[in-house]
């Protein structure tokens, strides 16, 4: 057989070609084992305007791995390729097979000394990932080519490498290709080599693949099966080769003879090792128990030719009816979607970065990650195995711009099958991988079924899913999905599915609760549904990171991987901002839609994370129907008891100091609950009147792999006494002078602690949700931001002054009345009414806004906290007494918007330099204290455009619209909207 010595011409424009002379992927990790030469580091580099352009004499240098779009190098050819963000559309309008005239092509070159000892060995070049087409040469000889931007390409370079000499390796990376059309995911477009490159050498007799199946049998016995796929570079295997193995904790070695079962020809060796492991420690996300496994391939004389090491976990996964079972248990999937992202490198993520991502997920209650929308670095799966996260492993297939067409296109059939098969062959041994995904947003066609067919035959131990397939209708044959995995369905839609009587598969949302900006409203409503409707089992929040790239303001370029101080310095360091679509001059673009994660670009958790943490609480509290002095404690885990946790009680009331007491957690197995006594001395310190809250702070008792001892994991809370005190009692007007109410001739309150008087507020700086799927445009048409006040009249009646005003909007007039009463001790009582006309049927807020005197910038409050909370997102903020500088109450969402609110506030105070003001509210209300006005926030596109005002703007709202998730998904639920009619609220202002 002769093999061509050059890759197919113009292979970047040939979807039917997925690779040339590329080795099959396998599960034998050569990353950090055996003989290898790392090739990461500085390479010669030129960026050409196209794959057929001529090289210049002048080279620059870049680091590998790296995205050239964020690296600083000498751009000899003036290609000027920067990050480009699109969601659905391709960067160009023409349909496939069109490719743009300028097609940035990186040529990477370096020398590598190969030791003389590698002579006669099998030498393989491993390129971890390159986007989107990779062509490899060694010493001027083409050795292979490949597509599939998030999986490795391996080439046998034994014939091209000169052992004992210096060799030149060249890697050519073509950015745009036929493959781009199936890599049209919603994130930044980059270019480059994005994972590690190395050479490794094996014996001519080698392990081509190892497959580990580690299941569980009733009674707790682990069933291990190892299938080793053995090859020889010369084809025929020598007589007498054999395979042995060892498993951690097992004395006897695992031994077998070659079975040769599959082929008699002697070139395809298969050896199978099996073992029963009694009383095995089962793997789950809660109990990530791993066993080290070594597989050795022996030459006929018994010496070791090759070795593969991995860690395996014994567990089962199955779909039974409409339940997904792990080790026989129906576990809730508390998932999040994760992209490979980094604000400095684009998408080069170190192992430390991956660990930091997963550790953050674990600390905030996540137990699952979907590798949206492509296979991740194998190191991430090792970490998921080790830390305990279920993984939906997704193939790199998304043809969103040409949604349904490519799935029917015969030319792309090989790409669909290859992308799924290569992922599965690589990742099959990871216990963390519980579900395979055929990709994302690519319509549904026979190309999917082709991939699913291969997969169902190859791996019978895991279910597979594909969102596109569920639209084919409930009655079809479910070739391409075992799970109903919709995205962004509303709560009532999934409940309706689960209660329809027609549900046949588990429903786990592949995406929900879009975390863009100030978001994740109604997460608690989703979890109420998941936990109460059989058939609903959780989902994956969209998404983990905000993809803001750190950008230098001086020249508009990406700050780049070498930025001193690391990305943690972020925008705080002068001269940077978080860039989103359009900020690099990229058109078309989808703006800030890439900043839609649960953590800011520097990985600071956003408030949605606190919400999730509490909803995932492993320990729950409830008040018993009877039994004073007791609370019900429930272990809400699937597999663990409570011995790894400790607790602390915390008693809180609006007018009293916090009381703490250690808590002994009861010995509860998974799912069990019991009544426990609240320490009597704690109860003895309850105030005599008014509401009282009891919180249980639950922490790790020892170091966990993902949390040091003492890390708080949840803080469930119950209200021991509901009764509340009247506003005036709480305001505590003391004996003393009654200073007359002062209003100016326009009816504006004049008060020494106010820089601007309290007026009606009907508007907030639109959130991303308000802008992109909610009513912000309507609010603009209605003129809510600029509703003009005109005074109707001022009436005095003794100590009481009533000011009436009208606020004109384009959709009607809001009539506002403010009744002001001076009370003893200098307390001002403000009673307000707003009559909102029918035309204003969906408002962001109805409430009061004023500005505090300069210098009052330290806040204290009693209400939900300490983090930001809103009417449809406050589970993560237990009620209590909190304090912080006002500037710390603000959440710096990548695109400025309504931010920093606190829900259910009973009172708050602002102070500074020995003076202050306190406001008591008639009932728990939404409050925000900020150095920015709503108009400031709405006008800014980035934070560098914002200047903090010296005086604090105070909003206290009679009603405030929930934040919802409308930027992608359902709008704020009707229960959290603000409608027309009469709104009444009152508050007191006292000066200190
Ligand atoms: C989904 C898609 C994600 C992302 C998200 C919106 O439709 O699968 O990749 O685009 O919407 O942020
Ligand atoms: Mg998409």
């Amino acid at each position: 057989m002769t093999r061509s010595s050059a890759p197919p011409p113009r292979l970047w424009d040939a979807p039917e070609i997925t690779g040339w002379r590329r080795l099959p992927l396998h599960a034998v990790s050569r990353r950090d084992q055996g003989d290898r030469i790392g090739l990461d580091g500085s390479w010669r580099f030129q960026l050409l305007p196209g794959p057929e352009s001529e090289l210049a004499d002048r080279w620059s240098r870049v680091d590998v791995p790296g995205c050239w779009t964020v690296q600083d190098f000498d751009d000899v050819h003036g290609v000027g390729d920067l990050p480009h963000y699109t969601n659905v559309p391709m960067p160009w309008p023409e349909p496939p097979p069109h490719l743009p005239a300028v097609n940035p092509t990186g040529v990477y070159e370096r020398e590598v000394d190969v030791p003389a000892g590698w002579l006669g060995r099998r030498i393989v070049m491993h390129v971890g990932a390159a986007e989107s087409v990779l062509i490899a040469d060694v010493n001027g000889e083409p050795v292979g080519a490949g597509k599939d931007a998030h999986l490795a390409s391996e080439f046998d370079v034994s014939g091209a490498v000169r052992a004992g000499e210096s060799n030149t390796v060249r890697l050519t990376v073509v950015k745009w290709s036929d493959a781009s059309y199936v890599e049209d995911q919603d994130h930044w477009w980059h270019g480059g080599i994005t994972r590690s490159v190395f050479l490794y050498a094996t014996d001519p007799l080698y392990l081509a693949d190892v497959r580990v199946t580690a299941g569980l049998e009733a009674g707790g016995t682990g069933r291990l099966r190892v299938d080793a796929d053995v090859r020889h570079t010369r084809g025929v295997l020598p007589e007498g080769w054999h395979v042995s193995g060892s498993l951690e904790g097992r004395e006897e070695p695992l031994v077998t003879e070659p079975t040769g079962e599959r082929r008699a020809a002697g070139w395809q060796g298969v050896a199978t090792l099996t073992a029963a492991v009694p009383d095995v420690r089962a793997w789950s996300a809660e109990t990530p128990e791993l066993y080290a496994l070594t597989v050795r391939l022996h030459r006929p004389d018994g010496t070791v030719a090759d070795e593969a090491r991995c860690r395996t976990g014994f567990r089962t996964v199955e779909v039974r009816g409409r339940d997904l079972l792990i080790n026989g248990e129906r576990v809730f999937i508390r998932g999040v979607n994760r992209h490979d992202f980094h604000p400095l490198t684009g998408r080069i993520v170190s192992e430390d970065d991956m660990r930091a991502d997963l550790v953050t997920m674990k600390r905030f209650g996540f137990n699952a990650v979907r590798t949206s929308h492509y296979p991740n670095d194998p190191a991430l799966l090792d970490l998921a195995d080790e830390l305990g996260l279920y993984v939906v492993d997704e193939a790199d297939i998304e043809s969103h711009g040409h949604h349904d067409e490519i799935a029917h296109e015969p030319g792309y059939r090989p790409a669909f099958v290859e992308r799924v098969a290569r992922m599965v062959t690589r990742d099959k041994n990871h216990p963390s991988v519980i579900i395979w995904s055929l990709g994302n947003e690519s319509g549904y066609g026979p190309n999917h079924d082709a991939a699913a067919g291969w997969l169902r035959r190859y791996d019978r131990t895991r279910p597979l899913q594909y969102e596109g397939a569920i639209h084919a209708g409930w009655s079809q044959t479910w070739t391409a999905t075992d799970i109903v995995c919709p995205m962004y369905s509303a709560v009532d839609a999934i409940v309706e599915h689960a209660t329809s009587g027609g549900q046949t598969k588990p429903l786990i949302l592949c995406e929900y609760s879009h975390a863009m900006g100030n978001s994740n409203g109604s997460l608690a409503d989703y979890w109420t549904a998941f936990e109460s409707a059989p058939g609903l089992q959780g989902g994956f929040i969209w998404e983990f990171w905000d993809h803001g790239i750190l950008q230098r303001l001086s020249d508009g370029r990406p700050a780049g991987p070498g930025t001193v101080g690391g990305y943690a310095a972020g925008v705080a360091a002068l001269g940077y901002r978080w860039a989103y679509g359009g900020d690099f001059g990229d058109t078309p673009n989808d703006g800030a839609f890439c900043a839609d994660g649960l953590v800011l670009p520097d990985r600071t958790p956003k408030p949605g994370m606190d919400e999730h943490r509490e909803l995932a609480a492993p320990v729950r509290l409830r008040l018993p129907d009877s039994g004073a002095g007791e609370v019900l404690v429930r272990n809400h885990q699937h597999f663990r008891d409570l011995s790894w946790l400790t607790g602390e009680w915390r008693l809180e009331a609006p007018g009293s100091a916090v009381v703490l007491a250690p808590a002994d957690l009861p010995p509860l197995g998974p799912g069990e609950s019991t009544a426990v006594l609240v320490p009597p001395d704690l109860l003895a310190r309850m105030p005599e009147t008014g509401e009282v809250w009891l919180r249980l702070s639950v922490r790790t008792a020892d170091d966990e792999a993902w949390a040091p001892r003492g890390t708080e994991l949840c803080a469930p809370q119950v209200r021991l006494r509901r009764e509340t005190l009247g506003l005036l009692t709480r305001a505590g007007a003391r004996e003393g002078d009654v200073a007359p109410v002062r209003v100016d001739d326009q009816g504006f309150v004049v008060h020494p602690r106010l820089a601007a008087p309290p007026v009606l507020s009907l508007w907030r700086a639109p959130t991303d949700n308000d802008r992109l799927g909610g009513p912000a445009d309507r609010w603009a048409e209605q003129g809510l931001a600029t509703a003009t006040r005109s005074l109707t009249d001022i009436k005095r009646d003794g100590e009481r002054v009533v000011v009436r005003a009208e606020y004109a909007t384009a959709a009607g007039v809001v009539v506002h009345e403010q009744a002001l009463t001076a009370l003893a001790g200098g307390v001002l009582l403000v009673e307000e009414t707003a009559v909102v006309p029918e035309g204003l049927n969906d408002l962001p807020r109805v409430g009061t806004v004023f500005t505090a005197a300069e210098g009052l910038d330290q806040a204290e409050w009693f209400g939900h906290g300490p983090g930001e909370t809103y009417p449809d997102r406050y589970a993560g903020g237990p009620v209590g007494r909190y304090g912080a500088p006002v500037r710390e109450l603000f959440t710096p969402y990548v695109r400025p918007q309504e931010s920093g609110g606190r829900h259910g506030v009973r009172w708050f105070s602002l102070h500074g330099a020995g003076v202050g003001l306190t406001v008591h509210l008639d009932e728990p209300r939404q409050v925000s204290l900020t150095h920015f006005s709503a108009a400031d926030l709405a006008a800014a596109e980035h934070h560098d455009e914002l200047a903090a005002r010296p005086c604090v703007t105070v909003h206290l709202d009679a009603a405030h619209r929930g934040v919802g998730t409308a930027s992608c998904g359902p709008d704020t639920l009707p229960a959290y909207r603000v409608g027309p009619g009469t709104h009444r609220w009152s508050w007191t202002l006292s000066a200190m």
Side-chain angles (χ1 to χ4, degrees), residues 225-230 237 241-243 255-266 268-274:
R225 179 186 164 118
V226 179
D227 295 289
D229 184 349
V230 177
L237 291 159
W241 65 271
H242 55 282
V243 170
V255 197
T256 187
E257 293 300 311
T259 63
E261 274 165 18
R262 281 203 314 206
R263 293 283 160 86
Q268 231 183 13
V270 183
T272 300
L273 313 170
T274 56

Side-chain angles (χ1 to χ4, degrees), residues 71-285:
Q71 287 174 309
D72 274 324
F73 61 92
D74 180 12
D75 190 5
V76 177
H77 301 269
V79 181
D81 194 30
L82 288 171
H84 186 154
Y85 170 56
T86 64
N87 169 12
V88 178
M90 297 292 290
W92 56 86
E94 297 85 353
H98 177 87
L99 295 177
V102 175
N103 188 356
T105 299
V107 181
Y108 297 77
E109 246 185 40
R110 64 166 283 164
E111 268 61 58
V112 50
D113 290 331
V114 174
W118 282 24
L119 190 68
R121 309 197 72 198
R122 168 179 172 263
I123 304 176
V124 176
M125 179 156 74
H126 174 106
V127 181
E131 50 194 76
S132 66
V133 177
L134 170 72
I135 303 166
D137 302 79
V138 173
N139 298 324
E141 191 181 316
V143 292
K147 300 174 186 173
D148 202 352
H150 293 88
L151 280 176
S153 286
E154 289 195 340
F155 310 110
D156 187 332
V157 298
S158 317
V161 162
R162 294 189 291 261
E165 291 180 31
S166 170
N167 296 264
T168 303
V169 176
R170 173 183 287 186
L171 300 176
T172 302
V173 179
V174 185
K175 175 162 176 169
W176 302 122
S177 70
D178 55 83
S180 310
Y181 285 100
V182 286
E183 294 175 1
D184 182 20
Q185 291 96 356
D186 175 9
H187 62 161
W188 294 94
W189 295 96
H190 289 288
I193 297 172
T194 54
R195 292 185 194 149
S196 289
V197 181
F198 56 89
L199 294 179
Y200 66 86
T202 72
D203 194 82
L205 178 68
Y206 64 98
L207 288 165
D209 199 1
V210 169
R211 177 175 191 149
V212 182
T213 315
L216 279 176
E217 280 173 1
T221 298
R223 254 309 144 203
L224 181 74
R225 179 186 164 118
V226 179
D227 295 289
D229 184 349
V230 177
R231 304 291 167 109
H232 196 283
T233 46
R234 282 192 298 276
V236 177
L237 291 159
E239 284 293 323
W241 65 271
H242 55 282
V243 170
S244 70
S246 55
L247 182 72
E248 185 183 340
R250 218 185 117 95
E251 305 256 303
E252 332 78 86
L254 317 168
V255 197
T256 187
E257 293 300 311
T259 63
E261 274 165 18
R262 281 203 314 206
R263 293 283 160 86
W267 61 275
Q268 231 183 13
V270 183
T272 300
L273 313 170
T274 56
V277 186
D279 300 320
V280 79
R281 299 183 310 272
W283 187 97
S284 71

Side-chain angles (χ1 to χ4, degrees), residues 907-964:
W907 62 259
F908 64 89
S909 68
L910 282 170
H911 50 95
V915 293
L917 63 82
T918 300
V919 169
H920 281 90
L921 296 142
D922 55 345
E923 49 184 86
R925 302 231 177 240
Q926 184 76 19
V927 166
S928 99
L929 308 171
T930 146
H931 284 285
F932 307 101
S933 72
D936 295 343
L937 294 170
E941 300 278 337
H942 296 88
H943 281 274
D944 56 291
E945 300 151 33
L946 278 177
R949 290 173 184 262
C951 296
V952 170
T953 297
V954 176
H955 279 276
L956 51 98
D957 293 327
H960 193 104
R961 194 179 200 266
V963 291

